[in-house]
Amino acid sequence: RELEKQYFQQATVIVSIESIPRNLSGGAGPDVSEDFFTVFGQVARQGKYEMFADEERSVSHAILKAGGFAPFALTKDVRIIRKVKTESKPVEIHVNVDEIMTKGRMEKDIIVRPNDVIIVKEKKINF
């Protein structure tokens, strides 16, 4: 009704559900998981993304899940910040996603683990 006051003659709201957790649907839907990865920086949709138990996702697929790179993304130096139990500080992994996506260097496509943080920095443009 609020949209119809100023913007639309007849407003329609559509709600979409991506997945239904198994415990709410009585067995339907994918395996439920508490695991997530996060994508920050120069991607279309920054955010926290759920990982399912039977899912294996690489860094290039994680970026695609986040809508792909933004126009000024530094694609040659994507960082993955990963907590490792044996280390006191998180480990930082640098990935050249440009080589993966443009040259097919799939051996360089790192598998994303639960709680990884993927950071896509912005290109520095000098005029």
Side-chain angles (χ1 to χ4, degrees):
R1 296 185 198 278
E2 293 297 315
L3 290 173
E4 291 173 357
K5 287 180 182 178
Q6 293 181 350
Y7 301 107
F8 300 102
Q9 287 181 355
Q10 183 177 356
T12 303
V13 178
I14 300 171
V15 178
S16 173
I17 300 174
E18 269 189 41
S19 63
I20 300 171
R22 182 171 293 196
N23 58 356
L24 296 178
S25 64
D31 289 335
V32 176
S33 173
E34 296 285 331
D35 295 329
F36 295 89
F37 66 91
T38 306
V39 184
F40 290 125
Q42 296 297 306
V43 292
R45 294 183 307 271
Q46 297 182 66
K48 193 174 187 180
Y49 294 91
E50 190 171 11
M51 293 180 73
F52 297 105
D54 60 346
E55 179 180 39
E56 187 172 275
R57 186 177 300 276
S58 65
V59 68
S60 66
H61 289 109
I63 289 168
L64 291 173
K65 176 86 172 171
F69 287 118
F72 295 106
L74 180 59
T75 61
K76 295 182 179 186
D77 187 20
V78 173
R79 293 185 298 159
I80 301 172
I81 309 299
R82 178 175 290 166
K83 292 180 184 175
V84 180
K85 291 180 183 178
T86 58
E87 301 290 327
S88 59
K89 293 182 180 181
V91 174
E92 188 171 311
I93 304 165
H94 295 263
V95 182
N96 185 339
V97 179
D98 184 63
E99 277 191 344
I100 297 164
M101 290 186 170
T102 62
K103 297 178 182 171
R105 303 285 309 267
M106 301 311 289
E107 71 276 7
K108 294 189 174 198
D109 207 2
I110 305 294
I111 298 299
V112 174
R113 293 184 186 163
N115 302 313
D116 278 357
V117 176
I118 300 167
I119 301 172
V120 181
K121 297 188 287 185
E122 186 174 25
K123 288 180 186 175
K124 293 184 177 162
I125 302 172
N126 296 321
F127 293 98

